[in-house]
């Protein structure tokens, strides 16, 4: 069984986001990136399936800032092959273009499952998994929390609200949007990634003709002020705690 | 292309999700601006009677098929795309939900329509639509314009009032015959959530913990605080995914929707998927070390600080 796992880097929210001078994009100059956490779950579920069934796992990413590190980390965790799609810049690319570029490459490969994260924080024009499925003309299940393989089929759990889960049975090939792996994504020490960088190599494949777009233009970025904002309680931790207790008393809660 | 506004409704176990009514409310405003008809799309099997709850729409298009009896990503994506293809509406609203996320992108690619996700607002002026999307975990809004004429949107829960779109009635129903041969994905069963744990939807006081807690060894101090307050501990999704707390304690989109008297959020950033589950709490107090955390936009009171200082201080004073 062959599993392909598209992964991508997203801005690390811990760093804070800044709007650039045009007002229509983020300032990406000092941006720090990290792997999309849901892609990390997709990779984890694929690696669990590899351990269970002997599947081969291929991690694939569009060329973008810091992507080599993400691919080598995937290899250090257990991906058999790592591929970088060249000729497009993945940073800030629309989901439609990303999906089409990946479909061009994946369409020429042999696969049973494509597993990617259910969403990313910058999917302005839609989540990758289902877009990719339709460019590949393959069926899809998204918001997936477990995959159990038997022969050329898999039983897939999909989550709804309130803890309700639906089970589906699907025949390969198909595309899955992974919400959460069965266990927390594994950790790999930096030393192991460095070691893999010396032994493994990234295969480069050209994206070919992408020819699609998001169909919309960004007119501005702005920071939200949704709920009007909280009244902030200042002071030392002791002061803050005392004020919370006062507040609870005044509301009749304590 | 028509001037219609389509709402792709969703139901599970014969119950519409609130998001369907919210989209009808939002769709009505868009339809008034475009001068078009508001059409609710209903898919199911022997479930035509559900249309009587869709009185906010001018018309219902109903597709009946065995494979639509329960939601099936492949069947519903195909049927929704076929219904859109036959009418080419100006705007198609799908929910940012487990079901909607399978249909919006499908319609976009198959009908070559632009798609905008995490939509919190839409305005129409002349030929173009201006749409606001909430991105980066609620930390940044992005406004987009599409002049393509038509567009699919994935609408954030809470973007409009469900009550404004919840109206019984007898809208005209157009039956739509759909061909769903060759499906390779089959629905097996629905698995109901565990009901043996504390029901956090019934608790008046919730002390809710997020990834800021760092690891499970730090949970006892949260439990101690909750006990002092006479409340229960709830949490954000990553805490459940890490197996530190059971699913029954998860608040949010894929967890439970809670409305306690007090919701004390500790080290929770306030991603839209979490906000969806707790925004209606009577009193929200948030503790977070990041002054720009989106949770402060929704909380009534905010404490910028380290939860490892605030929790013991607060527990000591109760
Ligand atoms: C389909 C779907 C459904 C989802 N459903 C849900 C759901 O039901 N519920 C849910 O919660 N999420 C859900 N999510 C996940 C959601 O997108 C976020 O990833 C999640 O809510 C983030 O949880 P968090 O706030 O605990 O973690 P983070 O976003 O990582 O935030 C941690 C916060 O802790 C703060 N912090 C760190 N250290 C400290 C400290 N010492 N003191 C004080 N503050 C500190 C940080 O500043 C940060 O704001 C869903 C996602 C998808 C795609």
């Amino acid at each position: 069984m062959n599993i392909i796992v598209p992964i991508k880097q997203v801005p690390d929210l811990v760093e804070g986001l800044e709007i650039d001078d045009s007002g229509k994009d983020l300032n990406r100059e000092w941006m720090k990136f990290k792997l999309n956490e849901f892609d990390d779950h997709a990779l984890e579920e694929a690696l669990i399936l590899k351990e269970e069934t002997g599947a081969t796992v291929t991690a694939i990413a569009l060329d973008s800032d810091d992507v080599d590190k993400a691919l080598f980390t995937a290899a250090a965790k257990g991906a058999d092959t790592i591929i970088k799609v060249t000729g497009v810049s993945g940073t800030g690319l629309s989901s439609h273009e990303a999906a089409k570029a990946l479909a061009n490459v994946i369409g020429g490969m042999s696969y049973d499952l494509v597993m990617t994260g259910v969403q990313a924080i910058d999917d302005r024009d839609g989540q990758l998994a289902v877009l990719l499925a339709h460019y590949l003309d393959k069926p899809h299940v998204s918001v997936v929390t477990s995959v159990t393989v038997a022969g050329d089929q898999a039983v897939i759990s999909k989550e709804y609200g309130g803890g309700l889960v639906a089970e589906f049975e699907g025949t390969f090939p198909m595309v899955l949007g992974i919400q959460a792996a069965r266990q927390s994504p594994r950790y790999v020490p930096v030393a192991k990634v460095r070691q893999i960088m010396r032994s493994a190599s990234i295969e480069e494949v050209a994206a070919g003709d992408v020819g699609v777009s998001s169909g919309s233009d960004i007119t501005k970025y702005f920071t939200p002020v949704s709920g009007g904002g909280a009244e902030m309680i200042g002071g030392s931790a002791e002061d803050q705690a005392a004020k919370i207790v006062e507040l609870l008393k005044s509301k009749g809660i304590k | 292309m028509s001037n219609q506004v389509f709402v792709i409704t969703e139901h599970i176990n014969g119950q519409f999700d609130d998001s369907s009514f919210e989209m009808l409310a939002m769709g009505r405003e868009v339809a008034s601006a475009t001068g078009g008809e508001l059409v609710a799309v209903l898919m199911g099997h022997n479930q035509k009677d559900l249309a009587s709850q869709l009185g906010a729409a001018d018309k219902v298009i109903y597709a009946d098929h065995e494979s639509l009896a329960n939601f099936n990503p492949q069947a519903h994506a195909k049927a929704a795309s076929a219904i859109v293809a036959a009418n080419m509406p100006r705007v198609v609203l799908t929910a940012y939900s487990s079901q909607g996320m399978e249909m919006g992108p499908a319609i976009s690619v198959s009908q070559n329509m632009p798609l905008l996700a995490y939509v919190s607002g839409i305005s129409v002026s002349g030929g173009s639509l201006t749409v606001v999307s909430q991105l980066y975990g609620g930390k940044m809004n992005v406004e987009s314009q599409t002049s393509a004429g038509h567009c699919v949107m994935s609408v954030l829960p809470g973007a409009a009032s469900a009550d404004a779109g919840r109206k019984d009635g007898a809208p005209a129903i157009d039956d739509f015959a759909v061909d769903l041969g060759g499906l390779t994905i089959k629905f097996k069963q629905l698995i109901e959530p565990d009901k043996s744990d504390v029901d956090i939807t019934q608790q008046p006081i919730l002390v809710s913990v997020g990834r800021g807690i760092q690891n499970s060894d730090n949970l006892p101090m949260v439990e101690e605080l909750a006990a002092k307050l006479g409340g229960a501990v709830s949490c954000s999704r990553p805490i459940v995914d890490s197996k530190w707390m059971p699913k029954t304690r998860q608040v949010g989109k894929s967890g439970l929707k809670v409305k306690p008297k007090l919701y004390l959020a500790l080290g929770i950033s306030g991603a839209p998927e979490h906000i969806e589950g707790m925004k209606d709490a009577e009193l929200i107090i948030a503790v977070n070390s990041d002054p720009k955390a989106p949770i402060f936009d929704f909380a009534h009171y905010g404490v910028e600080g380290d939860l490892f200082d605030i929790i013991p201080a607060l527990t000591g004073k109760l």
Side-chain angles (χ1 to χ4, degrees):
Chain A
M1 179 168 78
N2 295 322
I3 307 174
I4 299 177
V5 184
I7 60 175
K8 84 166 179 180
Q9 296 285 85
V10 294
D12 188 346
L13 292 182
V14 168
E15 296 295 311
L17 301 171
E18 199 183 302
I19 300 168
D20 76 1
D21 292 339
S22 75
K24 297 180 183 184
D25 200 354
L26 295 174
N27 188 347
R28 298 178 190 271
E29 197 177 347
W30 302 106
M31 207 176 249
K32 268 186 71 182
F33 292 89
K34 58 178 265 211
L35 183 63
N36 171 23
E37 63 173 302
F38 302 110
D39 291 348
D40 206 9
H41 279 273
L43 179 62
E44 181 60 36
E45 190 70 18
L47 293 172
I48 298 173
L49 290 175
K50 172 179 170 171
E51 287 155 10
E52 284 176 353
T53 68
T56 63
V57 174
T58 302
I60 183 169
L62 302 181
D63 199 357
S64 69
D65 292 326
D66 251 9
V67 78
D68 290 10
K69 194 177 87 192
L71 286 169
F72 281 121
T73 305
K77 286 183 173 186
D80 302 281
T81 309
I82 46 180
I83 300 178
K84 179 158 75 179
V85 179
T86 58
V88 284
S89 166
T91 308
L93 196 70
S94 76
S95 306
H96 283 72
E97 289 164 287
K100 184 60 168 50
L102 286 165
N104 285 353
V105 176
I106 295 172
M109 296 166 68
S110 145
Y111 62 92
D112 301 291
L113 287 174
V114 177
M115 295 166 56
T116 191
V118 59
Q119 68 177 47
I121 52 175
D122 58 354
D123 288 333
R124 185 183 64 96
D125 58 317
Q127 300 82 13
L128 182 79
V130 178
L131 292 172
L132 176 58
H134 283 271
Y135 285 126
L136 288 169
D137 198 17
K138 295 289 181 286
H140 48 87
V141 182
S142 198
V143 200
V144 170
T145 50
S146 94
V147 183
T148 311
V149 169
D152 66 345
Q153 294 201 320
V155 174
I156 301 146
S157 298
K158 171 182 174 66
E159 250 188 31
Y160 295 133
L164 187 65
V165 170
E167 240 177 40
F168 297 94
E169 198 169 63
T171 307
F172 298 152
M174 57 190 154
V175 180
L176 306 179
I178 304 293
Q179 164 88 62
R182 279 172 271 171
Q183 65 187 39
S184 294
R186 64 198 65 193
Y187 171 78
V188 62
V190 180
K192 190 158 177 213
V193 179
R194 288 223 186 86
Q195 192 190 331
I196 275 280
M197 285 173 80
R198 286 191 290 269
S199 57
S201 61
I202 296 177
E203 203 179 301
E204 296 194 4
V205 184
D209 182 19
V210 174
V212 300
S213 79
S214 70
S216 60
D217 299 312
I218 295 175
T219 43
K220 70 174 179 204
Y221 272 68
F222 60 105
T223 44
V225 274
S226 353
E231 186 179 314
M232 298 305 286
I233 298 173
S236 68
E238 287 297 326
D239 295 344
Q240 290 170 322
K243 285 179 198 159
I244 295 175
V245 173
E246 247 170 68
L247 179 67
L248 297 181
K249 280 191 179 135
S250 74
K251 304 262 177 195
I253 292 173
K254 202 63 211 170
Chain B
M1 191 176 71
S2 76
N3 230 353
Q4 292 166 318
V5 175
F6 272 36
V7 170
I8 312 289
T9 65
E10 306 181 355
H11 52 88
I12 297 178
N13 286 333
Q15 290 257 310
F16 283 111
D17 192 78
D18 268 0
S19 61
S20 294
F21 300 118
E22 292 170 8
M23 289 191 289
L24 285 169
M26 192 181 227
R28 174 54 72 197
E29 282 181 24
V30 178
S32 307
T34 60
E37 212 183 6
L38 178 63
V39 179
V41 174
L42 174 64
M43 293 171 273
H45 185 45
N46 299 328
Q47 285 165 310
K48 203 176 195 168
D49 54 333
L50 285 174
S52 65
Q53 294 172 47
L54 302 174
D58 298 313
K59 180 173 104 180
V60 173
I61 294 179
Y62 175 60
D64 192 292
H65 194 284
E66 229 173 35
S67 302
L68 299 172
N70 286 286
F71 181 78
N72 175 327
Q74 194 179 22
H76 280 72
K78 256 190 178 174
S81 299
I83 293 169
V84 169
N87 296 274
M88 273 320 205
R90 175 94 181 266
V91 173
V92 178
L93 303 183
T94 60
Y96 168 45
S97 67
S98 191
Q99 296 192 14
M101 269 199 278
E102 311 265 12
M103 297 187 282
I107 297 167
S108 171
V109 175
S110 67
Q111 304 314 310
N112 196 18
M113 285 169 88
L115 168 65
L116 287 164
Y118 316 102
V119 171
S120 60
I122 307 171
S123 56
V124 184
S125 85
S128 75
L129 296 162
T130 303
V131 178
V132 175
S133 302
Q134 226 177 67
L135 300 182
Y136 300 99
K139 280 199 154 181
M140 198 56 83
N141 284 337
V142 181
E143 184 190 88
S144 308
Q145 252 176 28
T146 167
S147 46
H150 56 187
C151 189
V152 188
M153 289 171 218
S154 165
V155 179
L156 274 180
S161 149
D163 287 341
R166 191 180 286 117
K167 227 164 92 185
D168 289 347
I173 302 177
D174 283 1
D175 288 307
F176 187 90
V178 64
D179 173 18
L180 293 174
L183 295 180
T184 54
I185 292 188
K186 303 211 158 36
F187 170 82
K188 285 191 68 182
Q189 58 171 337
L190 277 178
I191 302 167
E192 295 292 332
D194 175 19
K195 291 254 169 13
S196 60
D197 193 20
V198 172
D199 181 359
I200 57 169
T201 65
Q202 300 302 318
Q203 292 286 322
I205 294 175
L206 287 176
V207 177
S208 209
V209 61
R211 192 141 51 180
I213 197 71
Q214 289 175 4
N215 66 61
S216 58
D217 297 343
N218 296 322
L219 283 176
M221 65 195 267
V222 181
E223 276 150 18
E224 192 188 341
L225 173 59
K228 280 264 167 94
L229 281 166
V233 180
S234 58
C235 64
S236 67
R237 162 138 218 157
I239 304 298
V240 174
D241 286 341
S242 304
K243 311 272 187 277
W244 299 345
M245 293 198 64
K247 186 81 187 172
T248 43
R249 303 295 180 109
Q250 184 187 319
V251 173
K253 183 181 209 63
S254 46
L256 293 159
K257 314 241 177 317
V258 299
K259 286 187 195 173
K261 282 193 181 358
L262 169 65
Y263 190 81
L264 180 57
L266 305 168
I268 294 176
S269 63
E273 297 83 11
H274 187 80
I275 299 295
E276 198 181 319
M278 45 60 79
K279 61 179 190 318
D280 297 327
E282 281 174 39
L283 176 64
I284 302 169
I285 305 178
V287 178
N288 199 300
S289 50
D290 174 7
K292 288 191 175 154
I295 190 86
F296 290 135
D297 299 331
F298 297 89
H300 303 101
Y301 294 89
V303 176
E304 181 190 340
D306 189 330
L307 62 86
F308 295 109
D309 297 331
I310 309 285
I311 294 176
L314 190 53
T315 308
K317 289 190 187 344
L318 288 165

